[in-house]
Amino acid sequence: MNIQKVGVMGAGTMGNGIAHVFARSGYGVILCDVEQRFLNRGMETIGKNLDREVAKGKISAVDKVAVLGRIEGVVDRAKLAVCDFVIEAATEKFEIKAEIFRDLEKVCRPEVILASNTSSISITRIGALTKRADKVIGMHFFNPVPVMKLVEVIRGLATTDETFQTVRDLAAKLEKTPVEVNDAPGFVSNRVLMPLLNEAMFAVMEGVATAEAVDEVFKLGMAHPMGPLTLADFIGLDVCLDIMRVLLDGLGDPKYRPCPLLIKMVDAGWLGRKSGRGFYRY
């Protein structure tokens, strides 16, 4: 299929980043969310990120105007009917994604590939909600999307080679590096990363060290660009908790038990950078 118009469901951190890279690569983008205020915030973020690219000489001011001109914000999912490819980038909860994919199944043409930016939820399970499981695939971008090169491309049980090849080629056109991964809880990235962050939280909870000390160990001893607790705050502690619960439910191993401190902080609304407070204050 000749993909020219791309739909992005969700204008949050990941969704606006995905819309940014598609529009920057010349695709027309329909960015959809449930409320206009979320779209406004997403478009504002895209504008600021494009300003950074202009300041660094990566694009021109004229390019910025062109990129923004390729993005249309909508609150009506029916307008995604014109899209040749749609990617969902909603919150990491199966019930929300299920509702979106049931709608996309009705709205989008039968030949259109439906991708999910999920970081942990089964692509097979999502695909089973539709009548096109062969055309459902995971396309997991990393934050910040305009900067990070990796895209995990996740096959569901029914995903065809043709669908995989199309999405792999699409990632390459975005100047990303696609890596093939099979469907399993957390895929590769979060199956390995999230238990690390979770264990760092246990170290703080148990008084082994402060958050600052834990992060310094990883920055200075392991050459990580940021410590695990700074990274958790950056990702969002609510997202970390959702992924840990997916790992625990999907793999059934108690080693994936979310840290009680993480649960408590999310209950308190301390979600990290986006709420102004997590393991650090912002």
Side-chain angles (χ1 to χ4, degrees), residues 125-192:
R125 190 180 179 195
I126 292 173
L129 299 167
T130 74
K131 296 177 181 178
R132 63 179 90 188
D134 59 318
K135 293 182 174 63
V136 174
I137 194 166
M139 194 178 191
H140 180 206
F141 290 83
F142 289 76
N143 187 27
V145 179
V147 176
M148 301 296 280
K149 291 293 185 183
L150 175 63
V151 175
E152 281 184 312
V153 182
I154 304 108
R155 291 175 178 263
L157 188 63
T159 306
T160 62
D161 288 343
E162 180 181 4
T163 297
F164 171 77
Q165 296 287 352
T166 298
V167 173
R168 186 185 66 178
D169 293 347
L170 189 58
K173 289 175 183 176
L174 301 178
E175 299 183 350
K176 303 297 184 185
T177 302
V179 176
E180 180 180 359
V181 178
N182 287 319
D183 195 17
F187 315 129
V188 171
S189 56
N190 282 318
R191 182 168 178 171
V192 176

Side-chain angles (χ1 to χ4, degrees), residues 34-52:
V34 293
E35 293 185 31
Q36 187 63 43
R37 62 191 177 103
F38 299 142
L39 289 171
N40 293 344
R41 189 185 308 159
M43 291 302 297
E44 182 181 353
T45 299
I46 293 170
K48 288 179 179 177
N49 288 336
L50 288 169
D51 284 338
R52 291 191 186 95

Side-chain angles (χ1 to χ4, degrees), residues 74-95:
V74 302
V75 294
D76 181 4
R77 292 179 190 173
K79 292 185 177 179
L80 296 170
V82 300
C83 294
D84 306 309
F85 176 86
V86 178
I87 179 166
E88 165 273 319
T91 188
E92 195 68 359
K93 294 185 184 296
F94 177 76
E95 295 77 15

Side-chain angles (χ1 to χ4, degrees), residues 1-108:
M1 171 182 280
N2 181 25
I3 297 173
Q4 294 183 328
K5 182 77 75 174
V6 173
V8 180
M9 272 299 313
T13 300
M14 298 305 295
N16 68 61
I18 293 168
H20 177 149
V21 297
F22 270 106
R24 190 177 62 190
S25 296
Y27 293 92
V29 176
I30 297 180
L31 180 60
C32 183
D33 213 317
V34 293
E35 293 185 31
Q36 187 63 43
R37 62 191 177 103
F38 299 142
L39 289 171
N40 293 344
R41 189 185 308 159
M43 291 302 297
E44 182 181 353
T45 299
I46 293 170
K48 288 179 179 177
N49 288 336
L50 288 169
D51 284 338
R52 291 191 186 95
E53 293 181 1
V54 172
K56 293 178 180 178
K58 293 183 177 180
I59 62 171
S60 69
V62 173
D63 292 332
K64 174 194 169 181
V65 173
V67 170
L68 290 174
R70 294 187 193 106
I71 304 173
E72 176 188 0
V74 302
V75 294
D76 181 4
R77 292 179 190 173
K79 292 185 177 179
L80 296 170
V82 300
C83 294
D84 306 309
F85 176 86
V86 178
I87 179 166
E88 165 273 319
T91 188
E92 195 68 359
K93 294 185 184 296
F94 177 76
E95 295 77 15
I96 292 173
K97 293 183 185 296
E99 186 262 333
I100 289 171
F101 270 82
R102 290 190 184 104
D103 266 6
L104 293 178
E105 169 69 15
K106 298 172 188 174
V107 168
C108 298

Side-chain angles (χ1 to χ4, degrees), residues 177-211:
T177 302
V179 176
E180 180 180 359
V181 178
N182 287 319
D183 195 17
F187 315 129
V188 171
S189 56
N190 282 318
R191 182 168 178 171
V192 176
L193 175 63
M194 284 300 158
L196 167 64
L197 306 191
N198 196 55
E199 196 62 29
M201 296 171 195
F202 269 109
V204 172
M205 185 185 76
E206 294 169 2
V208 176
T210 64

